[in-house]
Amino acid sequence: MTAPLRDAHPAGPGRGLPDTQQGMRRRNLARVMHTVSAEGPLSRAAVASRIGLTRAAVSTLVDELIRSGLLEELGPERPGRVGRPGSALAVSGRGPAGIGAEVGVDHLAVCAVDLRGQVRTRSVRHGANRGRAPEPVIAELTSLVRRVVAEAESEGLWPAGLAVAVPGLVARDARTVVRAPNLDWHDTDLGTLLPEDLPLTVGNEANFGALAELWLGDGTPHDFLHVSAEIGIGAALVVDGQLLRGTRGFAGELGHVPVRPDGPRCPCGGRGCLEQYAGEEAVLRAAGLEPGEDRVGLLAQHAADGDEAVRGALREAGQALGIALTGAVNLLDPEAVVLGGALAGLAPWLLPSLRDELARRTAGPACPVSVSGLGSQGPLLGAAHSVVRAVLDDPAVVGERA
Amino acid sequence: MTAPLRDAHPAGPGRGLPDTQQGMRRRNLARVMHTVSAEGPLSRAAVASRIGLTRAAVSTLVDELIRSGLLEELGPERPGRVGRPGSALAVSGRGPAGIGAEVGVDHLAVCAVDLRGQVRTRSVRHGANRGRAPEPVIAELTSLVRRVVAEAESEGLWPAGLAVAVPGLVARDARTVVRAPNLDWHDTDLGTLLPEDLPLTVGNEANFGALAELWLGDGTPHDFLHVSAEIGIGAALVVDGQLLRGTRGFAGELGHVPVRPDGPRCPCGGRGCLEQYAGEEAVLRAAGLEPGEDRVGLLAQHAADGDEAVRGALREAGQALGIALTGAVNLLDPEAVVLGGALAGLAPWLLPSLRDELARRTAGPACPVSVSGLGSQGPLLGAAHSVVRAVLDDPAVVGERA
DNA sequence: CTATTTCGTCATGGCGGTTTACAAATTAGT
DNA sequence: ACTAATTTGTAAACCGCCATGACGAAATAG
């Protein structure tokens, strides 16, 4: 069925769907879900005061959500104040689940996350996928998905959708991989290869990582730039809590921002792109290391051991990142820059020169640069959570099935 | 009263104001206004089918809008098809008007635009403002505003708001000018200096220019990058039909994107910023011309006359712009780049090297670069139209007054 | 033990869009 | 010219959704 999970509520007045009472109801159901999900167990009265509706209205909304299995009544609250205690409501731990999947260069991973945001099942398979054809890889992924779905179902969950994180550019249809250099995939429509009974969303790994940071990060603002380096160097731009995708869905190509316009040639056609200084290959070469298996781990290891060549290479990579990010920060004025993915592990050696370069080139106070706490889990979690968010954003759709 | 003209309808489900029936009505009124405004005279039935409501519902909405003076009944349509001809509806030419104002480095301008988008009155005063204190300048501007408002009123219009375009950074409150280097203004609150009986919005000149391009430009997409050069070099980013403002409202500082990281020092603290190559002063210096009065006109004149020094300087500026824009395009994946403001006049000599540089550094087809057709009128028109858009976006607010 | 406060629910009402029906105004066909 | 078909705009009845106000229930304060 492949329902459109995203963009259900376009912004701006005048545009968008006609405003009928059903739409109103749907939005109010979503408000209740978001409020309960974000602020823990809450009584009906508390929800009502937060979203600005009356207790009576919230009562009927909650009834509907409980009938759909999206909310649960936990029983009476501990009475601390005067007055009748409310009945605590919480997001259900047995309703729909978001299935997240990740196609990495040398692993596959799938997990199921319930509406509460808890990871309930997880399944990983190691093994290099570089250069393998899409069909066998996706077949393997499909079997992992089926296993995770089965386990989730045995815990009383049912899958509301599947989101797949891929290390490459994904078209705006959220189904076809336009280009994944590290897998050597081109124009591959995953919609035809994955189980068809689940609404599917395919997305860029870095984008899902950024969303994970937005939704799960501790103190992450909702205007930031998330930089990661799995496939080349990618940035995900989050503006006002929304991912900026670009016309063709290619936004965030930080790796090909010119750093030194007369620098070395880049396969993209340009010269002196960031990737020529801070890309994996470039850093390994500058560090004098052979490209091998776990290349990022290798770099971190050597850097930690005090290898000066490696440290110098990372210092210069940080500097190049700082230059490119200066441009990005000047253009976008984000609240923060967050380093994620592989960069997070190398942060100790990248950050000093990066911050230095950024500060030197900024007039006022420099944009704060932090490191993601999610590590390599970001993309997978972001994918799974994107399905969960879609349910919270429009509970009515899912309510029909339960 | 200074009502919030913007951001009345925040994006995303779950957030925003509670969804009550009155809000629904307001949004539907807005839909009707937008539809009629965008698609010319339309019958009630045509509006209904476009926005997806029933004819009956649209009838009552239209009645209300006509009573408020926002819509006009033009009379029966020419019947071309079978069936009863509809009664054509058009946006009123006598209701509210948007007052736009512009504080330029050497001029002041004010105009009134009606809901149809027609400029109805205009008033300009030449004279250098560089270095003058804000108070006398704004006093002068106020008298222009009063004159334009009086003229507009004599034509049956009433002012719905005032938007002021300023060559500098404006804080997110849309009232205070944080920094306007070319005027030498700092932290100036225009809210206290301008007539208080009009809802006020102060905005950056380049941003208003971009909005004008978005709303009035011929074939302008709704994802683009608008580059202009009045104060240094500014870019306005329009994403999905909305201006990207940045956390502090400082987004779009293209002028300080690093082009050559080891280039000449820039007052901003950086090195080799775009402004050091394509800024007004830099180009004049490279061209061997003295900074005088109408510097842009001077450059265009000499370039047209075949002055090779000037042409060379502009060629290099275009090249630098191309490098900086490569970065921006890689980050944002816009549908187009539009040159506006002073750059539009110099486009014939900037474009070749700019396009060349951009194409050379892009893998696929390069992002198309075009020139704004609005010329120097952009900011003023954008300001006035922003008020008009605010009325279209929420007709109910204004309806109360009529 | 009573007064007070707060919670959840119910009955009532208002508001807003839909449905259904119908008159008005045009074209197409005989 | 007259009828049938089509489309428009409006009115009346209806339904859905939230607000209002009242009420019982369950706690605290005195």
Side-chain angles (χ1 to χ4, degrees), chain B:
Chain B
M1 58 182 291
T2 316
L5 287 180
R6 252 159 240 298
D7 296 335
H9 300 268
R15 331 230 145 276
L17 299 170
D19 226 330
T20 158
Q21 308 187 73
Q22 290 147 52
M24 183 166 102
R25 183 82 179 167
R26 278 168 64 169
R27 284 188 297 273
N28 280 335
L29 288 169
R31 274 193 183 78
V32 172
M33 287 304 290
H34 266 102
T35 310
V36 175
S37 161
E39 312 200 30
L42 241 44
S43 70
R44 289 169 175 76
V47 172
S49 76
R50 270 164 234 244
I51 65 181
L53 294 177
T54 59
R55 296 199 310 269
V58 170
S59 254
T60 73
L61 290 164
V62 166
D63 280 357
E64 190 173 333
L65 291 168
I66 288 180
R67 272 200 308 280
S68 305
L70 299 180
L71 239 40
E72 261 175 24
E73 192 126 30
L74 296 183
E77 286 174 329
R78 289 269 161 282
R81 309 173 304 289
V82 61
R84 169 179 167 180
S87 176
L89 298 168
V91 170
S92 167
R94 319 179 105 257
I99 313 295
E102 183 180 12
V103 179
V105 176
D106 36 38
H107 77 288
L108 298 174
V110 178
C111 74
V113 170
D114 64 22
L115 284 186
R116 290 180 177 157
Q118 300 297 314
V119 176
R120 297 287 286 271
T121 318
R122 175 192 302 258
S123 194
V124 185
R125 217 193 112 303
H126 290 279
N129 298 316
R130 198 185 276 269
R132 286 177 74 195
E135 290 77 11
V137 175
I138 296 300
E140 240 173 281
L141 188 71
T142 303
S143 81
L144 285 186
V145 168
R146 288 200 210 284
R147 186 190 310 167
V148 165
V149 167
E151 282 182 49
E153 279 171 343
S154 76
E155 294 193 41
L157 298 165
W158 59 270
L162 171 63
V164 184
V166 171
L169 295 178
V170 176
R172 283 209 77 140
D173 66 356
R175 298 175 103 250
T176 48
V177 177
V178 176
R179 190 163 78 234
N182 286 13
L183 295 170
D184 204 29
W185 289 5
H186 300 276
D187 296 305
T188 310
D189 182 356
L190 299 190
T192 61
L193 300 174
L194 279 157
E196 283 159 32
D197 51 349
L198 283 178
L200 173 68
T201 313
V202 180
N204 173 273
E205 184 181 53
N207 283 353
F208 278 128
L211 290 174
E213 191 61 35
L214 171 70
W215 293 326
L216 308 173
D218 196 29
T220 306
H222 77 178
D223 262 270
F224 67 98
L225 221 117
H226 185 265
V227 185
S228 62
E230 316 279 351
I231 26 136
I233 299 174
L237 321 174
V238 176
V239 176
D240 202 31
Q242 299 255 260
L243 207 51
L244 196 160
R245 291 195 152 76
T247 332
R248 298 166 303 176
F250 297 175
E253 283 279 307
L254 189 68
H256 297 287
V257 167
V259 167
R260 294 181 203 280
D262 305 315
R265 284 216 171 284
C266 176
C268 81
R271 273 173 168 283
C273 297
L274 174 61
E275 236 167 82
Q276 297 301 310
Y277 302 96
E280 205 176 76
E281 278 185 40
V283 173
L284 285 171
R285 198 178 325 115
L289 295 177
E290 285 300 309
E293 262 303 291
D294 176 17
R295 296 166 299 258
V296 174
L298 193 73
L299 282 170
Q301 191 59 51
H302 279 258
D305 290 351
D307 182 329
E308 264 312 315
V310 171
R311 289 197 176 179
L314 289 173
R315 204 157 38 231
E316 290 205 5
Q319 207 179 343
L321 271 165
I323 294 170
L325 283 173
T326 299
V329 167
N330 268 307
L331 278 172
L332 298 165
D333 185 27
E335 200 168 330
V337 171
V338 180
L339 298 188
L343 294 181
L346 300 172
W349 303 281
L350 291 169
L351 269 182
S353 56
L354 193 166
R355 284 208 178 106
D356 198 51
E357 202 66 33
L358 194 57
R360 193 207 316 269
R361 294 173 184 278
T362 309
C367 188
V369 182
S370 61
V371 178
S372 165
L374 298 170
S376 57
Q377 302 285 0
L380 182 63
L381 291 176
H385 275 265
S386 77
V387 177
V388 169
R389 298 288 294 204
V391 174
L392 297 180
D393 285 354
D394 195 354
V397 169
V398 106
E400 291 163 15
R401 300 207 228 163

Side-chain angles (χ1 to χ4, degrees), chain A residues 58 65 93 142 144 192 211 220 287 299 315 320-321 325-326 331 342 363 382 395:
Chain A
V58 170
L65 291 168
T142 303
L144 285 186
T192 61
L211 290 174
T220 305
L299 282 170
R315 203 158 39 231
L321 271 166
L325 283 173
T326 300
L331 278 172

Side-chain angles (χ1 to χ4, degrees), chain A residues 253-311:
Chain A
E253 283 279 306
L254 189 69
H256 298 288
V257 168
V259 167
R260 295 183 203 280
D262 305 315
R265 284 216 171 284
C266 176
C268 81
R271 274 173 167 280
C273 298
L274 174 61
E275 236 168 82
Q276 297 302 310
Y277 303 96
E280 203 177 76
E281 279 186 39
V283 173
L284 284 171
R285 198 179 325 118
L289 296 178
E290 285 300 307
E293 263 303 289
D294 176 18
R295 297 167 299 258
V296 174
L298 193 73
L299 282 170
Q301 192 57 52
H302 280 258
D305 290 350
D307 181 329
E308 264 311 315
V310 171
R311 287 197 175 180

Side-chain angles (χ1 to χ4, degrees), chain A residues 370-382:
Chain A
S370 60
V371 178
S372 167
L374 297 170
S376 59
Q377 302 285 1
L380 182 63
L381 291 176

